[in-house]
Amino acid sequence: VMSSGWEIRMSNSKGIPYYFNAATKQSSWDAPSELSEDQIKSLPGSQHLSGGSSGGAGTITASHLLVKHKDSRRPSSWKEANITRSKEEATDILRGYQAQVGNSREKFEELANIHSDCSSHSQKGNLGPFSKGQMQKPFEDAAFGLQVGEFSDIISTDSGVHIILRTA
Ligand SMILES: N=C(N)NCCC[C@H](NC(=O)[C@@H]1CCC/C1=C/[C@H](COP(=O)(O)O)NC=O)C(N)=O
């Protein structure tokens, strides 16, 4: 089979792996849909997929919509230099987004892109693949408890309040 040109590289800025195609110069946080699990595990650079040599084991991929508040560990974002809303206000705002999203991944990604106080807003909320031990515990517990395609309810971390969508 002709090599697809895909390889796995590590993003130093985000500390997570991404997929790069040397032939087409494409890059993507998500695994190319045309590749099977086995093909992904045998790509050059597959050692970057956390979860050791077994590739994806223990690794999930999720997106989130984060609304920060004045008590966030970093009450600032690409959107707002100094975030002063209360945690209650942030939760009310996020409930409003939750109602608009329903079960729609597309709507979630649209709102994450516009409103999320995380830099991942530019990736429609996508945080890329991660294993246990990388994210704050409340986020990790919620995300690893989701089925693929499932949304979390509103959860709180030191970053703010979030809704999570598990995507892989
Ligand atoms: N591996 C990946 N993709 N990047 C490293 C993530 C580090 C991790 N981050 C989080 O736990 C928060 C909550 C869930 C997502 C997340 C994103 C935060 C939220 O914004 P902040 O509070 O930082 O301003 N922005 C980036 O880190 C941590 N252990 O602090």
Side-chain angles (χ1 to χ4, degrees), residues 87-126:
K87 183 176 177 182
E88 288 66 34
E89 284 170 282
T91 303
D92 288 344
I93 290 167
L94 194 51
R95 284 234 180 282
Y97 299 149
Q98 188 179 41
Q100 289 183 59
V101 166
N103 247 329
S104 162
R105 171 171 179 167
E106 192 184 358
K107 190 65 185 169
F108 173 83
E109 291 179 340
E110 178 197 330
L111 294 180
N113 179 242
I114 300 165
H115 298 299
S116 182
D117 281 318
C118 179
S119 55
S120 60
H121 85 99
S122 59
Q123 310 290 331
K124 300 186 283 188
N126 184 16

Side-chain angles (χ1 to χ4, degrees), residues 14 16 68 73-74 127 134-136 139 159 162:
K14 286 186 179 288
I16 51 169
K68 290 189 174 183
R73 68 180 180 181
R74 197 171 68 83
L127 289 163
Q134 281 186 245
M135 302 299 180
Q136 288 164 68
F139 188 95
S159 295
H162 318 241

